[in-house]
Amino acid sequence: MKWVTLISLIFLFSSAASRNLQRVARGTEHKSEIAHRYKDLKEETFKAVTLITFAQYLQRCSYEGLSKLVKDVVDLAQKCVANEDAPECSKSLPSIFLDEICQVEKLRDSYGAMADCCGKADPDRNQCFLSFKVHQPDFVQPYQKPAADVICKEYQDNRVSLLGHFIYNVARRNPFLYAPAILSLGADYEHALQACCKEGDVSACLDEKATAIKERAKKFSMKHQYYCGVLRKFGERTFKADKLATLSQKYPKTPFSEMVKILNDVTGIYKECCDGDMVECMDDRAELMSYICSKQDVFSSKIKECCEKPVVERGQCIIESDMDDKPEDLPSLVEKYIQDKEVCKSFERDHDAFLSEFVYEYSRRHPEFSSQLILRIAKAYENLLEKCCKTDNPAECYGNAQEELNKLIQETQDVVKTNCELLNTHGEAGFLKAILIRYTKKMPQVSTDTLVEIGKKMTAVGTKCCQLPENRRLPCSEGYLNIVIQDMCRRQETTPINDNVSHCCSGSFSERRPCFTSMGVDAKYVPPAFSPDMFNFDETLCTASPAERESGQMKLLVNLIKRKPQMTEEQMKKIVDGFSAMIDKCCKESDVGSCLGEEGADLIVQSRATLGIGA
């Protein structure tokens, strides 16, 4: 059995002290879930998270319309606080929220088939509603920013309403963004108002801070969708394995027993948020962060300032805090896991516990590695022990483990080094071109626009990560590349690309990036016929910005490779350069259209000849 399928069993060893079980016990003390969550969060935060929940499910609903639903739930919470024995107070929070949604008048008129979800039983009803959430919906009108003086007066006179509208707008545009993160963004917005409304140029100050808040929201949403995708695709055990690695890197001084205690809680909180259970998610995360803050000496020396912040800001601050310093006296792992002649006894006696502790020990010593690389190392070590422990001389067999594991490390380091050198040598445009050539050959069935989009995302990863210190490049690049790859794999589920992509997407979580890196040209691909339509000879090329022109060149490049995946670098350069020369020449002419028509026809003939494609 593979270690990722067994890792959850380790948590049974600490069941007596597990905070997760404490939470279950606490839940049984309360007859009413809604009552104790309301008491935990207090009225303002409970109202805010209730608004977020409804805004993410009912994205077309107005703020005023949602306010009525929020009032209904808050009234029920207050009623249950006063009398937990009331019949409706025993319902679960998800049921309370979904029942409220299903009572909305004319639900079908606004949401169509989503109304059919109301006919399903829980938890299928919730999964049905989740499937109708739309990321960055086009039916939500762009935000119309009021004048700066109006915002400042509104904040002064109607703070709760202004912040409520901000939270509502963020939530309905980002239906997969966790409630704790949205409240953290709300706190950022309030701090921006407090600072900017004192400035001379209020508008410029707010614009600058609003841009930073939007970028944070985009980053949060991207990561949250990624983690929910990992839970959905690979399950809780794989998610826990990955989190064990990242938490051990972040808190390297924390004892293994304490790490085990918080891991179940972290997983449970993510599951709650991914299922849309935002009240529970908010409350449980606040409790976990309070627990961590109560044991700063155990967890981290880097979170003191975070722990002094209000509840809605504390959690995000801790998540974004730096890794704690690695203990200086950590012994080498070689003696325990390679040189010890009794390794097989420990491995066979408690397979999952042994490998879980190996991941913990390895991670806390190697913050410069990605969590995915660490999981690949753990799997390779497990495979080696499974083989060696069946031999007559296991110690001799696994004695070369370090050399085997170093090969995995070297492969990943080489990929990062090669790509960062490519970016530094040829710049972003050259890097994007190389990525497009590489991935168009791997998956030519993907639309041109999507390939360019993926290429730009990978280029952004390179730009972000390659400028970091060398010991941070690998976790940064592989971490973000996994997010890009997961988005590709999500598309693969609904629109299959090819067998190679399917193989990489359906395989091991930790092997996805190496699988895509080593993926070859799709041998089964049949190129479409050469078509003049792939050349854009529109006069607007002459008024296009440099970025738009470059995008046009990249799309031409992709389309050429789709027609002939085996084309050489020289052939590509000749055609793309010819296209650029044509644009430069014709845009100087008085009759641009005639020039493009004549020169374009010549370029098509030359391109056919260059590629050896008949007319």
Side-chain angles (χ1 to χ4, degrees):
M1 294 178 71
K2 298 301 179 189
W3 73 277
V4 291
T5 66
L6 291 161
I7 193 169
S8 62
L9 299 178
I10 182 65
F11 306 120
L12 297 175
F13 302 147
S14 302
S15 59
S18 170
R19 292 185 61 257
N20 189 56
L21 294 186
Q22 283 180 13
R23 188 161 64 232
V24 172
R26 185 191 69 182
T28 61
E29 293 169 8
H30 295 269
K31 297 175 183 177
S32 170
E33 179 77 3
I34 190 171
H36 94 252
R37 297 294 188 182
Y38 181 86
K39 287 187 283 188
D40 280 356
L41 293 173
K42 307 298 184 283
E43 183 173 349
E44 184 172 315
T45 302
F46 184 89
K47 277 184 177 178
V49 181
T50 300
L51 174 63
I52 290 168
T53 305
F54 282 128
Q56 291 183 324
Y57 280 114
L58 300 172
Q59 293 172 267
R60 295 177 184 271
C61 198
S62 68
Y63 179 80
E64 291 70 27
L66 292 185
S67 295
K68 296 174 185 176
L69 303 183
V70 172
K71 184 178 185 304
D72 287 345
V73 173
V74 171
D75 286 349
L76 175 61
Q78 292 173 339
K79 175 183 177 181
C80 296
V81 167
N83 178 19
E84 293 191 17
D85 291 318
E88 60 267 49
C89 296
S90 62
K91 289 166 63 175
S92 70
L93 269 169
S95 293
I96 289 171
F97 279 101
L98 296 183
D99 286 350
E100 194 71 30
I101 290 171
C102 288
Q103 290 169 18
V104 170
E105 287 186 25
K106 299 182 179 179
L107 184 68
R108 188 174 298 279
D109 292 349
S110 298
Y111 295 94
M114 191 178 87
D116 294 334
C117 298
C118 293
K120 297 180 180 290
D122 293 329
D124 291 342
R125 179 172 62 156
N126 186 51
Q127 291 304 313
C128 179
F129 274 112
L130 290 175
S131 71
F132 282 92
K133 287 187 175 185
V134 180
H135 178 62
Q136 293 294 338
D138 56 13
F139 53 77
V140 175
Q141 294 300 311
Y143 175 65
Q144 300 295 322
K145 187 185 74 170
D149 58 333
V150 174
I151 295 178
C152 291
K153 189 173 190 313
E154 184 70 13
Y155 175 63
Q156 184 178 350
D157 296 344
N158 299 294
R159 170 185 172 272
V160 173
S161 174
L162 180 68
L163 294 178
H165 276 83
F166 173 86
I167 287 168
Y168 159 75
N169 280 302
V170 173
R172 68 197 294 243
R173 286 175 170 80
N174 300 275
F176 302 103
L177 189 56
Y178 304 166
I182 294 176
L183 292 187
S184 174
L185 293 169
D188 290 344
Y189 181 57
E190 180 163 26
H191 292 323
L193 291 169
Q194 290 168 342
C196 293
C197 289
K198 299 174 184 176
E199 295 291 323
D201 192 342
V202 177
S203 184
C205 177
L206 282 176
D207 285 347
E208 180 182 348
K209 292 187 182 297
T211 300
I213 291 171
K214 285 179 182 177
E215 284 302 308
R216 276 169 63 80
K218 184 178 177 182
K219 177 182 173 183
F220 293 164
S221 185
M222 175 184 67
K223 288 193 171 184
H224 294 172
Q225 287 188 74
Y226 168 74
Y227 289 127
C228 291
V230 172
L231 269 169
R232 178 181 61 83
K233 175 71 177 178
F234 297 99
E236 185 176 324
R237 295 180 180 98
T238 296
F239 181 88
K240 281 182 176 177
D242 188 58
K243 279 295 172 188
L244 175 60
T246 55
L247 288 170
S248 301
Q249 287 178 313
K250 190 174 181 69
Y251 306 126
K253 295 175 184 174
T254 304
F256 182 59
S257 58
E258 196 69 55
M259 192 66 67
V260 163
K261 290 177 192 176
I262 68 167
L263 190 53
N264 265 356
D265 283 334
V266 169
T267 304
I269 290 164
Y270 273 97
K271 285 176 66 180
E272 287 168 343
C273 270
C274 293
D275 284 341
D277 302 335
M278 294 302 174
V279 173
E280 299 97 315
C281 172
M282 180 68 202
D283 188 21
D284 290 338
R285 193 173 89 156
E287 184 188 348
L288 174 61
M289 296 307 167
S290 294
Y291 178 77
I292 290 173
C293 285
S294 72
K295 292 192 167 187
Q296 292 181 50
D297 57 325
V298 171
F299 287 101
S300 176
S301 62
K302 307 286 186 179
I303 59 174
K304 185 176 185 297
E305 290 185 5
C306 295
C307 292
E308 294 169 354
K309 290 180 178 290
V311 170
V312 295
E313 299 176 59
R314 184 187 303 160
Q316 201 60 46
C317 181
I318 290 174
I319 289 170
E320 295 176 345
S321 64
D322 292 336
M323 291 180 177
D324 200 14
D325 300 323
K326 185 168 63 174
E328 296 178 1
D329 56 348
L330 288 176
S332 168
L333 293 180
V334 173
E335 182 178 339
K336 180 176 180 180
Y337 291 102
I338 297 176
Q339 294 178 349
D340 187 350
K341 296 186 184 302
E342 303 299 314
V343 165
C344 287
K345 285 185 179 179
S346 300
F347 177 67
E348 291 168 346
R349 180 174 63 249
D350 225 327
H351 179 278
D352 56 307
F354 179 82
L355 287 167
S356 297
E357 195 161 354
F358 173 82
V359 171
Y360 159 77
E361 294 288 5
Y362 203 97
S363 300
R364 63 201 290 248
R365 286 165 173 78
H366 292 285
E368 75 280 11
F369 291 168
S370 66
S371 60
Q372 294 84 11
L373 173 57
I374 291 170
L375 297 192
R376 291 197 293 275
I377 289 168
K379 184 178 181 183
Y381 180 61
E382 176 195 28
N383 291 342
L384 183 66
L385 291 185
E386 284 183 338
K387 180 185 75 173
C388 292
C389 292
K390 296 173 184 176
T391 65
D392 294 334
N393 191 343
E396 182 181 345
C397 177
Y398 60 69
N400 67 342
Q402 190 65 49
E403 296 171 20
E404 294 297 315
L405 301 183
N406 283 342
K407 291 177 185 177
L408 286 173
I409 296 167
Q410 193 63 49
E411 182 274 339
T412 307
Q413 290 175 332
D414 286 347
V415 168
V416 174
K417 183 172 182 288
T418 300
N419 281 289
C420 285
E421 286 177 352
L422 176 63
L423 178 62
N424 293 332
T425 303
H426 298 283
E428 288 188 9
F431 185 82
L432 173 57
K433 179 182 174 184
I435 291 293
L436 287 176
I437 293 171
R438 195 182 301 167
Y439 276 86
T440 303
K441 290 182 176 183
K442 292 175 191 284
M443 42 191 199
Q445 298 88 350
V446 175
S447 72
T448 299
D449 286 343
T450 300
L451 281 166
V452 172
E453 177 194 337
I454 291 168
K456 287 181 177 179
K457 286 180 178 178
M458 290 188 170
T459 302
V461 171
T463 302
K464 177 182 179 65
C465 300
C466 291
Q467 64 183 350
L468 296 177
E470 194 166 341
N471 66 341
R472 299 305 308 146
R473 288 180 188 175
L474 195 159
C476 174
S477 57
E478 190 159 74
Y480 279 105
L481 279 176
N482 266 281
I483 294 175
V484 177
I485 288 171
Q486 180 157 294
D487 187 50
M488 281 193 282
C489 290
R490 180 182 55 79
R491 300 181 196 210
Q492 155 80 17
E493 290 176 7
T494 53
T495 309
I497 299 170
N498 60 41
D499 291 344
N500 293 339
V501 175
S502 178
H503 167 72
C504 289
C505 289
S506 59
S508 164
F509 165 73
S510 62
E511 293 288 347
R512 272 184 165 183
R513 199 281 307 154
C515 188
F516 270 91
T517 298
S518 62
M519 187 189 298
V521 175
D522 182 9
K524 297 180 181 178
Y525 175 67
V526 179
F530 184 92
S531 171
D533 294 342
M534 66 183 175
F535 292 91
N536 176 15
F537 299 140
D538 196 295
E539 292 182 36
T540 56
L541 285 168
C542 295
T543 57
S545 66
E548 289 170 332
R549 283 199 191 186
E550 183 182 309
S551 179
Q553 285 188 358
M554 293 303 165
K555 288 179 181 180
L556 173 61
L557 176 66
V558 169
N559 284 326
L560 287 169
I561 297 170
K562 286 186 173 192
R563 266 65 184 183
K564 191 166 184 178
Q566 299 80 18
M567 70 190 302
T568 65
E569 181 74 26
E570 291 74 23
Q571 289 173 323
M572 291 180 204
K573 186 176 187 305
K574 185 174 181 180
I575 297 173
V576 173
D577 286 353
F579 180 78
S580 299
M582 178 192 72
I583 300 302
D584 290 341
K585 176 183 177 181
C586 291
C587 289
K588 296 173 184 175
E589 297 289 329
S590 56
D591 190 348
V592 175
S594 296
C595 178
L596 286 173
E598 294 171 8
E599 294 292 327
D602 289 342
L603 179 63
I604 290 171
V605 172
Q606 292 166 11
S607 298
R608 286 184 182 277
T610 299
L611 297 176
I613 299 174

